[in-house]
Each structure stands twice: as structure tokens, then as C-alpha cells.
Amino acid sequence: MIGINMKTMSENLLKVLSLLLVMIALAATMNACGKSDDPDPDPGPEPGLSQEELLNQKVNTFTVESMKKLYVWNKEIPSTVDSKSTEDPKTLFEKICRRYNVNQDNWIDRWSSLKNNAEDTRASMDDVDVEKGFGYGLSFYIDEQNHIFAVVMYVTPDSPAAQAGLVRGDIIHKMNGNYMTTNNYTDLYYGTSFKVSTVYFQLIPGTNNYAAVETGKEYTLQAVSKSFDPFVAQKVITRGTKKIGYLCYTRFVDINSKTNNQLTAGAQERKQRMISVFQNFKNQGITDLILDLRYNPGGYAETSRYLSSILAPSSVLNGKTVFLKELWNEEFTKTLSEDERTQYFEKNVAVNLNLNNVYMLTTGSTASASEATLIGLMPYMNVHQIGETTHGKYCGAISVSPEYYYHDLLNQPKTDIQEIKDWEIEMMIFRFANNNGYTDFVNGIEPDHKIAETRNYWLKPLGDENDPLVAEALNLISGIATKSVPQTTTIPGFERLSGPESVSGGMIKQKHEFSTGTDYK
């Protein structure tokens, strides 16, 4: 799924939603016994339930009620799901979301999630783009002995990984002197401190298999909390009369969080960083751009819209050209105006490259806002996709807590949600489509030019002209490329694993764009 942070939605949405929900609440009250003056009567605990069951019931009531109103697939919630259930909340949540669509041969929703932030050490911080980590992106493999290998795909400048000396292409195989397994390899993202050692792979003579050879190098990593710079590599390449910009962008960070209608300091800094990167390209007179989204799992919709407006032909920056359309559930489709369900290109973007061609590098980790950027630009310019098929996330999300749902949306102050205040749903609230109606790419977006991301683990530095994907883009720009044949992405004896951080969740929509003045998500 994919999350999308597009244009600021009208305050009318709040009024419409509030009116709709008040009417629902009023009707429910009238159909009840009608003898209580309490607008939110509490029937009290059911007899015979344990404290754990009572807590589960409160979480499940919140989950089912909020999803029946906000969830994009609310009409497909199974009738057997009971809001008064006392079963484990995450088990009930799976019944709502993880349903297989036989016709499409795919899960209906792979991305919505329910978590208890009080228990989840990975919970986001006050600034959603501040994360605790090491500043690298990894690709994981497992061998026949169940040992895990992590290939470093990129390293963020001025990060613990960079300071330790790790570079793209390094292969981590041990942590604190021990082989990594499926039980501990996620510590590479969520741990606090450790030492790692690396190997390289060597072909075993007379076979098609590779052996891991230790390098003897060890690196000490200490996690920090910071907003990592998503612009991890940029350069200008000259080919004849062409000046070609290359940019590796790893996350659509928040550039639109507001307090009292003013951008927060963090959002201002991140927005200015984006503007300065593209202003530098414009100052150097680039004629084409290679946008490397291979490791970008998405992020904020507003950021996708703004970045796309920087790249697009200037003719679309008129305030009325459609970037993406939002496809909400039936109730919201009726109550929201077409404008409120449409994302337009930014009219007053700070810098515009006015490109006719953009060359996007993709893999299976390219998701959400990255895919929105890809399809949103397609109707207006030549978007050349190079690499591997994308993840296939076509949904927009917000994070819904009990306080946000009951207090902010329903305007129903409740006194019984304190026990569940740390629970939160990242909920898919709409699908998105480009101006041509392209949506529901459940199996990902297939590239025009298919080239495997990793070839026998040998990775060139980001932006290197001999990187197979960059080389294909340069050939296309020079007019000499042909559609390439995919090459194997694995080595015999090793299997690719999904990363632990990657693309769960969806393209994020700021709450203030949805209905309130709250900041992000």
C-alpha cells in the first residue's frame, strides 16, 4: 500500500465529517432505550470478564468502530467481526485486513497495522522524521545454514554507519562475533549498539556456488536519534551536450507539519533542503534527471506532490492540473467534493526544472509515495522506469488513535479510553489514481527497462556511471539503449529475505489535511 500526502484539504471536510458523525451518533442514541441523559452512557463491564478481556474489548471496540467509518475497504469488513470481542486485538485486526482476494491473486490490505506504542520500541517520536537508527539501508539474504547476510545498499552521510566506515556494497555477516540468524538480524535496524564484521563472496572453483570469505574488518555502531538526510547521493554527469543530474532519494520526509498554520522548524528545514538540492541542479543547467528511488519506501503525500511539481513541465503548474485523485470509501465519496478528493500540482513551487524526461530507478523496495510520484507524472512527461518491478502500494493512510478518533473526529469526549490511549491504527483511508485512472497496481509497476538491482552482490557506488541501472539511463539519454533482459538477483545457495523496516504502512497523509489542525500523519 502506499500513503499519500497531497494538497491541504479544506476545513469543510471537518465540518462535513463532524456533521455526518453527529447524525450517526444521534440516530444511534434515538434508537437506543432513550432514557438516559448521558450522551455517552457506559454500560459497565460485562460480568465474568477478566481485566485482560476487558482491555481487549475496549481496543477491539475502538478498532472496529473507527475502521467501519474511515477504512477505505469498510464495506468489506467481515460481518463476523465483533466490536465486543475479547480476543487478542491484533488477531481480530488480522481478520479485518488480511483477507485474500482470489480474483486479484493478492491480499486486499498488506499495509494497515495495529500497534500498542507502550509495548512497541519502534514507535515513532514526536517528530515523525526523527528516527533512532544507524543511517543505512540493507538488503538481506540467508544461506543453507540459516545464516543471515546483510548487504549495505546505501549509507546516509554523517550517520553512525558512515562514521564507522561502512560503505555501499559491504556485506555484514556477524554481530558481536556471532552469526546473524532470523532471531536477531532485525537488531541491525532496531538495536542500540553492537559490532559487526564483514565478508566478501568468492566463487568456489568447479561449482556455481559462492563462499563467504571474512575481510577481518570490524565496525562499531551506536544508534542515534536524528532526522537522517534522505538525499544520500547527488551529482551532475556530462554526456556530450547533455548535463544529467543524478539524485538518490531514500524517503519522502515531512515538509508540511504545521503549528498554528505555520510550518514547524523541522518541516521548514527539510523543505529548504529539498529546494536547495534542486536549485543546485537548475543552476548547473541540467537537461535530464536520473531519480534513484530504489530504496525509497515512501512517506508523505505532500512531499511527493511537491517534488513532482519541481520536476514537471511548467505548463502544469497552474493550480488546476491533476496530480492524483483520491478514491475514498462510499460515504466519503458522497460527502467530499471533487476538489477535496483531488491532488493538484503545486502552483507556487519554489523551483521548477521544467523537464520533459525523467529516468526513475526502481526495485521491489520502491513503494508508496515513490509510486505516486512515478504514476502522477506519467500523463504529463516521459517517465522512463529502469530496474525492477515496484512494491505495489496504492493507498493513502493516516494514524488513528482512540483520542484522535473519539475526541478530534467524533467530538465525543470519553472518559474510558485512558487504558487504551497507546494503541494506534495506521489505516488505509483511500486508494489513489493518476489523471488517466491508473490505480490498483497490486503486483507493482513493471519497468520499461528491466535490469536486476544486485548482480552477484557487486555494487558500484551510487551514481557511478558503471552502475547497471545508471548506465542504462545514460544510454537512454544518449539514444543508444534497448530494453534490457533481467539478470539474476541472487547467488546459488542464497535466498533473498524481506527487510524488517521496508514498506509496511502507507503513504502518509497529514492529519491537518484530513480534518484537524494536528501535525503529521
Side-chain angles (χ1 to χ4, degrees):
M1 115 193 140
I2 130 175
I4 161 170
N5 288 352
M6 304 306 188
K7 77 178 181 72
T8 300
M9 298 185 67
S10 166
E11 292 182 357
N12 289 337
L13 175 54
L14 175 58
K15 297 177 183 177
V16 171
L17 179 58
S18 299
L19 178 60
L20 174 64
L21 294 174
V22 167
M23 291 173 66
I24 293 172
L26 179 61
T29 303
M30 293 175 66
N31 289 331
C33 60
K35 296 182 180 181
S36 173
D37 293 329
D38 186 351
D40 185 26
D42 186 348
E46 294 184 21
L49 296 183
S50 68
Q51 286 299 113
E52 180 180 0
E53 289 174 325
L54 287 171
L55 181 62
N56 287 350
Q57 190 175 75
K58 285 186 178 182
V59 176
N60 291 336
T61 298
F62 153 66
T63 298
V64 175
E65 287 183 357
S66 62
M67 295 192 75
K68 281 187 175 180
K69 289 182 172 64
L70 303 176
Y71 192 41
V72 65
W73 292 292
N74 63 344
K75 296 300 184 185
E76 299 183 47
I77 296 177
S79 59
T80 54
V81 172
D82 182 6
S83 64
K84 296 299 182 182
S85 170
T86 60
E87 68 181 313
D88 175 72
K90 293 185 179 181
T91 300
L92 180 136
F93 187 81
E94 292 292 307
K95 294 178 181 178
I96 295 176
C97 296
R98 310 293 187 247
R99 290 164 290 108
Y100 199 74
N101 186 321
V102 177
N103 294 330
Q104 293 182 326
D105 190 26
N106 215 318
W107 296 105
I108 291 175
D109 182 359
R110 294 175 280 160
W111 315 287
S112 293
S113 62
L114 172 69
K115 63 183 179 182
N116 183 352
N117 290 340
E119 300 173 352
D120 194 341
T121 58
R122 305 172 197 177
S124 59
M125 304 180 184
D126 289 340
D127 184 335
V128 73
D129 284 308
V130 171
E131 52 186 303
K132 186 174 184 179
F134 305 98
Y136 49 30
L138 305 173
S139 182
F140 294 93
Y141 296 82
I142 187 169
D143 67 10
E144 295 173 348
Q145 287 74 46
N146 290 324
H147 296 155
I148 304 292
F149 297 83
V151 183
V152 178
M153 309 308 288
Y154 70 85
V155 176
T156 301
D158 194 30
S159 66
Q163 293 167 2
L166 287 171
V167 297
R168 171 173 161 85
D170 282 340
I171 304 170
I172 299 170
H173 82 128
K174 285 185 179 180
M175 187 187 310
N176 293 329
N178 299 312
Y179 286 109
M180 295 185 300
T181 68
T182 53
N183 293 324
N184 68 0
Y185 80 105
T186 58
D187 287 346
L188 287 178
Y189 277 112
Y190 305 120
T192 301
S193 64
F194 44 75
K195 292 183 178 180
V196 297
S197 52
T198 58
V199 297
Y200 65 90
F201 288 105
Q202 188 174 65
L203 183 65
I204 301 173
T207 74
N208 291 323
N209 293 325
Y210 287 77
V213 180
E214 295 193 14
T215 65
K217 297 180 180 179
E218 192 173 60
Y219 306 84
T220 300
L221 294 170
Q222 176 73 47
V224 298
S225 297
K226 65 178 294 184
S227 180
F228 292 106
D229 187 356
F231 297 98
V232 299
Q234 54 190 296
K235 63 188 296 187
V236 174
I237 302 168
T238 301
R239 283 287 182 95
T241 60
K242 297 278 191 177
K243 297 191 76 172
I244 304 153
Y246 167 85
L247 176 64
C248 181
Y249 186 58
T250 58
R251 187 173 296 274
F252 286 83
V253 294
D254 172 30
I255 62 171
N256 204 44
S257 284
K258 295 178 181 177
T259 301
N260 297 325
N261 293 322
Q262 296 294 321
L263 289 180
T264 63
Q268 286 180 356
E269 181 179 352
R270 290 184 287 268
K271 188 170 188 177
Q272 189 54 49
R273 172 66 171 142
M274 173 175 284
I275 292 169
S276 66
V277 166
F278 287 103
Q279 186 64 58
N280 179 56
F281 280 141
K282 186 166 186 174
N283 292 345
Q284 295 194 58
I286 68 165
T287 55
D288 301 88
L289 178 70
I290 301 171
L291 181 59
D292 193 341
L293 299 177
R294 283 179 281 187
Y295 321 113
N296 192 318
Y300 281 84
E302 165 63 18
T303 310
S304 170
R305 183 182 73 92
Y306 196 84
L307 185 147
S308 298
S309 301
I310 289 175
L311 305 182
S314 59
S315 59
V316 307
L317 307 183
N318 51 26
K320 59 183 180 181
T321 300
V322 174
F323 174 56
L324 288 179
K325 299 176 181 179
E326 299 174 1
L327 310 177
W328 295 63
N329 66 32
E330 183 178 340
E331 288 78 4
F332 282 112
T333 299
K334 291 177 180 177
T335 56
L336 300 178
S337 70
E338 184 175 354
D339 272 355
E340 289 169 330
R341 291 182 282 111
T342 304
Q343 309 296 337
Y344 298 97
F345 282 94
E346 174 68 38
K347 183 177 182 179
N348 299 312
V349 67
V351 57
N352 173 245
L353 298 183
N354 192 27
L355 298 173
N356 292 316
N357 293 275
V358 63
Y359 303 81
M360 294 192 185
L361 312 186
T362 65
T363 66
S365 295
T366 305
S368 182
S370 290
E371 291 168 304
T373 302
L374 182 66
I375 72 165
L377 287 170
M378 282 180 176
Y380 310 105
M381 60 192 300
N382 299 314
V383 178
H384 308 273
Q385 184 185 350
I386 302 166
E388 301 173 9
T389 302
T390 65
H391 177 76
K393 251 173 155 180
Y394 51 92
C395 308
I398 60 170
S399 293
V400 182
S401 66
E403 181 178 13
Y404 176 68
Y405 178 66
Y406 290 114
H407 294 184
D408 295 340
L409 292 185
L410 292 187
N411 195 25
Q412 291 181 355
K414 294 175 69 74
T415 59
D416 60 345
I417 63 172
Q418 185 63 24
E419 289 180 279
I420 62 171
K421 67 181 179 62
D422 292 318
W423 287 85
E424 184 175 73
I425 306 170
E426 183 155 326
M427 188 190 304
M428 301 303 105
I429 59 170
F430 62 88
R431 295 151 42 231
F432 64 84
N434 70 9
N435 198 38
N436 294 336
Y438 181 47
T439 185
D440 290 4
F441 39 90
V442 293
N443 296 314
I445 305 168
E446 189 172 333
D448 309 301
H449 302 266
K450 300 178 182 179
I451 300 178
E453 151 68 353
T454 50
R455 299 184 178 188
N456 298 341
Y457 297 107
W458 315 130
L459 298 175
K460 297 291 184 180
L462 290 173
D464 190 293
E465 295 180 36
N466 293 311
D467 177 305
L469 277 69
V470 175
E472 180 74 358
L474 293 174
N475 287 338
L476 274 169
I477 294 169
S478 301
I480 60 175
T482 58
K483 292 192 176 181
S484 305
V485 178
Q487 297 192 24
T488 180
T489 61
T490 59
I491 294 177
F494 295 86
E495 180 182 351
R496 184 80 174 266
L497 291 179
S498 297
E501 82 331 345
S502 66
V503 289
S504 62
M507 189 192 297
I508 305 165
K509 193 174 187 72
Q510 265 93 351
K511 279 182 179 176
H512 67 75
E513 293 178 358
F514 177 61
S515 62
T516 76
T518 325
D519 286 341
Y520 48 84
K521 277 185 161 184

